[in-house]
Amino acid sequence: MKALVAVKRVIDYNVKVRVKADNTDVDLANTKMSINPFCEIAVEEAVRLKEAGVVSEIVVVSIGDKSCQEQMRYAMALGADRGIQVEAEGKVNSLDVARILAKVNESENADILLLGKQAIDSDNNQTGQMLAALLDVPQATFASEVKIADGKAQVTREVDGGLVTVEMDLPALVTTDLRLNEPRFAALPKIMQAKRKPLEVKTVADLGVELTNSIELLSVETPAERSGGIKVDSVDALIDKLRNEAQVI
Amino acid sequence: MKTLIIAEHDGQNLKGATLSAVTAATKLGGAVDVLLAGASVAGIATQAAAVSGVDRVLTVEDAALEHTLAEFVAPVAQQLAGDYTHVILGASTFGKDIAPRVAALCGVNQISEVIEVVDADTFKRPIYAGNAIATVKSNDSLKVMTVRGTAFAAADTGGSAAIEAASATVPAAKVRFVGAEVSESDRPELESAGIVVSGGRGVGSKEDFAKVFELADKLGAAVGASRAAVDSGFVPNDMQVGQTGKMVAPKLYIAVGISGAIQHLAGMKDSATIVAINKDEEAPIFNIADYGLVGDLHDILPELVSKV
């Protein structure tokens, strides 16, 4: 059984972003970049499925310039077997990403596709669902548990108000939520080994995909800052403020 | 200009996210239709028809639509979307699950978590965990979008829309609903509550979280949590407030033992009044709190419960 995992290179989640002075975008110059945390969870889940003997091969795919190979190597250090980088400059919108991944999967024919539920830069939460639509396969978003047996995936999803469990025939697509697993640390020998794993580079043109770029980014602003208030010195003072000043209780 | 709203419901009631979607649609102007897809939706259709601003309620009934899974709902929406300029869903897990699938089936992009409608093509939405606000313009002929409930007030009742059965076929899909575990609670829903009391890692343990629940019950409040509290296993994930959890904007938000990580602030900073209770007086949460109280929450919470 083959697993296809898509990963995105994003700003490290510990870094606070700054908006550029000209308001055209955020400033990512000299910023620490990492694998998107939800993508990392997707890689970890694929590796666990492989360790459990369910999956036999893990293919990791990333779209971007050469720098995204760093995150692909990281995914390989975690346990992915080989990588496909689709060379693209600048921002690629979700539908185009899904179209590229669908094209990659045409030759890969993965049984299970694992993606993070959202990237922490654009916060879109779209690519997995779009890819499932284009491939006409079932989708289980916000997964907190994945069980695969007998050609079926049983997935528990974290939804508003509780949990929902669905069963999907394979091939199927899963997007990962935070609590699906806790990714392992990549050990040094694995990082060294990952450098020798096969990594194929393709271009968007090779795949025959024409980018739509139908969403334009007009400007980026820093949100209005909320200013701090006062400190009170006792529970009584707090209750008094809430009752008489804010009038919220 | 014509908007189709894909209604969220649980088989009995229309969900609040849909009422916010109606408000967003009325900001666009033009006709507003609501698609109600389910197994048996007559009762919910009456509720939807009473929402102010709705022109027509379109019902599609099929046994396969019972659990409103994306694989069935999205193709139904796609079949109807041709008549519209905009398709809007609330940015709940239902909306986030379905909207991108509808957009891809229609061959267009999707705009997520809109917080402001600038004009028919241009929208504002938070990126980078709310640390930046992007203004984006869609050049697609059809705009499929989700809207954030905290940015658009729920539409009032008082409408009297027509209810019509729409014709759409529900395709077969290789997915089956197995079961649901609904969090049973008498407390108000987190995203629509007037008061929210949230606990963080500082609460200490699952057992100590009872003190947070006690204060919430005294105030008639919903209970939330920071990602740290969820990761520590104090409470389930559906209580998480923050960029990767729920967005709330109550009139009163009480953060207990929450340091104030950026990702948490993104989910609650639009609250009208914020109270922070934390023993670390340097905690960043105090920078945005209207009222801060420095001290041990294990003493403060019981005192608050006894005095409010």
Side-chain angles (χ1 to χ4, degrees), chain A residues 77-99:
Chain A
L78 292 179
D81 296 296
R82 63 185 170 90
I84 301 169
Q85 180 212 344
V86 180
E87 186 85 38
E89 293 291 331
K91 284 192 172 66
V92 184
N93 64 53
S94 305
L95 182 64
D96 288 338
V97 169
R99 289 164 69 228

Side-chain angles (χ1 to χ4, degrees), chain B residues 25-42:
Chain B
T26 54
K27 302 231 184 266
L28 287 164
V32 179
D33 291 352
V34 172
L35 165 63
L36 201 44
S40 165
V41 296

Side-chain angles (χ1 to χ4, degrees), chain B residues 193-305:
Chain B
I195 303 178
V196 173
V197 183
S198 282
R201 202 199 303 272
V203 174
S205 69
K206 196 173 174 174
E207 291 68 37
D208 283 321
F209 221 90
K211 297 190 182 96
V212 176
F213 283 107
E214 224 176 298
L215 176 61
D217 290 344
K218 193 75 190 282
L219 294 168
V223 180
S226 69
R227 179 170 156 186
V230 171
D231 283 348
S232 304
F234 300 170
V235 290
N237 192 35
D238 65 333
M239 286 172 56
Q240 191 198 139
V241 172
Q243 183 64 12
T244 52
K246 295 201 163 71
M247 300 289 154
V248 303
K251 67 179 165 82
L252 173 60
Y253 188 90
I254 304 181
V256 181
I258 291 177
S259 63
I262 295 166
Q263 104 77 41
H264 184 75
L265 303 185
M268 45 65 80
K269 64 181 170 51
D270 295 328
S271 307
T273 299
I274 297 174
V275 171
I277 299 169
N278 205 301
K279 66 170 187 240
D280 173 13
E281 62 178 309
E282 300 296 321
I285 189 81
F286 288 121
N287 297 333
I288 65 147
D290 298 287
Y291 305 111
L293 181 52
V294 180
D296 187 345
L297 62 94
H298 300 285
D299 301 328
I300 292 171
L301 284 182
E303 191 182 342
L304 256 174
V305 169

Side-chain angles (χ1 to χ4, degrees), chain B residues 84-103:
Chain B
Y84 297 89
T85 54
H86 295 75
V87 171
I88 304 184
L89 297 90
S92 57
T93 50
F94 168 87
K96 291 173 183 176
D97 188 41
I98 290 175
R101 194 158 178 129
V102 174

Side-chain angles (χ1 to χ4, degrees), chain A residues 140-155:
Chain A
T141 47
F142 323 119
S144 62
E145 193 181 10
V146 177
K147 287 189 250 177
I148 297 180
D150 307 323
K152 295 180 179 68
Q154 182 161 319
V155 180

Side-chain angles (χ1 to χ4, degrees), chain B residues 47-61:
Chain B
Q47 295 171 27
V51 176
S52 178
V54 176
D55 294 294
R56 289 192 305 166
V57 177
L58 307 175
T59 61
V60 178
E61 294 188 317

Side-chain angles (χ1 to χ4, degrees), chain A residues 11 16-17 19 26 28 38 93-96 117-118 120-126 129-130 132-134 136-142 152 154 157-169 177-179 212-223 226-236 238-239 241-243 245-246 248-249, chain B residues 69-71 92-93 96-97 100-101 103-105 107-112 122 124-125 127-140 174-183 195 219 227 230 235-238 240 243-244 246 251-252 262 269-275 281 286-294 300 303-304 307-308:
Chain A
I11 187 169
K16 189 169 173 13
V17 297
V19 172
V26 298
L28 294 182
F38 293 104
N93 64 53
S94 305
L95 182 64
D96 288 338
K117 74 166 180 180
Q118 77 190 63
I120 60 165
D121 51 1
S122 54
D123 283 330
N124 274 321
N125 195 332
Q126 299 170 348
Q129 296 88 313
M130 288 180 165
L134 298 179
D136 193 23
V137 299
Q139 68 186 45
T141 47
F142 323 119
K152 295 180 179 68
Q154 182 161 319
R157 306 175 50 225
E158 297 196 338
V159 298
D160 295 335
L163 301 171
V164 163
T165 303
V166 293
E167 183 187 73
M168 307 181 288
D169 293 345
D177 216 323
L178 270 185
R179 297 206 299 179
T212 60
N213 294 320
S214 63
I215 302 273
E216 274 177 69
L217 181 63
L218 299 184
S219 66
V220 176
E221 303 149 68
T222 304
R226 196 186 169 105
S227 53
I230 56 159
K231 285 213 175 82
V232 292
D233 57 6
S234 68
V235 167
D236 292 318
L238 176 63
I239 293 173
K241 290 286 185 194
L242 292 177
R243 279 215 176 106
E245 194 173 270
V248 285
I249 58 169
Chain B
L69 298 178
E71 293 84 345
S92 57
T93 50
K96 291 173 183 176
D97 188 41
R101 194 158 178 129
L105 291 177
V108 298
N109 252 301
Q110 193 236 306
I111 308 128
S112 291
T122 313
K124 288 192 180 187
R125 56 177 304 265
I127 54 174
Y128 292 91
N131 287 303
I133 306 294
T135 303
V136 295
K137 180 168 185 266
S138 164
N139 296 316
D140 286 317
K174 292 173 175 169
V175 61
R176 290 161 295 279
F177 175 86
V178 176
E181 235 177 87
V182 181
S183 318
I195 303 178
L219 294 168
R227 179 170 156 186
V230 171
V235 290
N237 192 35
D238 65 333
Q240 191 198 139
Q243 183 64 12
T244 52
K246 295 201 163 71
K251 67 179 165 82
L252 173 60
I262 295 166
K269 64 181 170 51
D270 295 328
S271 307
T273 299
I274 297 174
V275 171
E281 62 178 309
F286 288 121
N287 297 333
I288 65 147
D290 298 287
Y291 305 111
L293 181 52
V294 180
I300 292 171
E303 191 182 342
L304 256 174
K307 288 179 174 169
V308 289

Side-chain angles (χ1 to χ4, degrees), chain B residues 113-131:
Chain B
E113 309 225 18
V114 168
I115 55 168
E116 189 183 326
V117 173
V118 178
D119 60 40
D121 311 314
T122 313
F123 311 96
K124 288 192 180 187
R125 56 177 304 265
I127 54 174
Y128 292 91
N131 287 303

